[in-house]
Amino acid sequence: MKKTFFFLIIFMTPLFSLAQIAGEDEVYLNGDRIDPEFKGDDSMNEFGKFISSEFDYSKVSKPGTMIFSFTVDENGEVKNIKIIQVLDTESAIEIIRVLKKCPKWEPAKRNGKPFSVEIKYPMTFQRK
């Protein structure tokens, strides 16, 4: 019985790892799915620049990582802002303020039609 169980575990492991390939972070071509874009091709880098330019770093009281998520809807608007990992209250309030100012994105598309996508984004703060 142990050998059978061990064999199943070894045999099934590659199948589980292949299932991970088609996760939520995939970008599909040929009009099937394209991720949303923020101001051009280097989308997440440009988004990071926007956050850096608008965020008031004096609101951060301690080092660490804050993780937030938001949805880019079919119209390219930022909606459903959530703080997943809170660093402190002031920095959470500040990132919500900044995201509410965010310009429109080019929405994700599937078969040429726009659809909503959730984006998770970490921000790490260090002491100076």
Side-chain angles (χ1 to χ4, degrees):
M1 183 69 171
K2 286 184 179 181
K3 288 183 181 180
T4 305
F5 181 71
F6 180 72
F7 176 74
L8 285 175
I9 296 296
I10 298 299
F11 179 73
M12 297 297 281
T13 301
L15 295 177
F16 293 131
S17 63
L18 288 175
Q20 298 293 322
I21 293 173
E24 65 184 37
D25 295 332
E26 291 293 307
V27 176
Y28 301 95
L29 302 177
N30 299 327
D32 195 21
R33 178 176 175 189
I34 302 296
D35 281 338
E37 290 185 7
F38 182 83
K39 296 184 178 182
D41 293 336
D42 197 6
S43 186
M44 293 314 285
N45 190 31
E46 291 299 319
F47 177 67
K49 288 179 185 177
F50 167 76
I51 295 293
S52 292
S53 69
E54 296 291 329
F55 192 88
D56 181 359
Y57 289 92
S58 70
K59 304 286 184 181
V60 181
S61 62
K62 61 183 178 180
T65 300
M66 173 174 57
I67 301 173
F68 57 90
S69 70
F70 57 93
T71 301
V72 176
D73 71 7
E74 303 87 15
N75 299 317
E77 296 177 4
V78 172
K79 304 283 184 177
N80 304 324
I81 301 166
K82 298 174 192 167
I83 308 301
I84 298 169
Q85 182 174 316
V86 178
L87 185 59
D88 57 42
T89 305
E90 289 77 25
S91 60
I93 292 169
E94 179 62 7
I95 197 61
I96 291 169
R97 181 193 69 80
V98 170
L99 289 172
K100 286 183 176 183
K101 291 178 62 175
C102 191
K104 281 191 172 187
W105 293 57
E106 180 67 33
K109 293 182 181 170
R110 182 182 295 136
N111 293 324
K113 295 180 183 176
F115 70 100
S116 297
V117 173
E118 182 180 53
I119 296 175
K120 292 179 185 167
Y121 196 89
M123 284 183 75
T124 301
F125 304 98
Q126 300 172 355
R127 286 187 196 238
K128 291 186 176 184

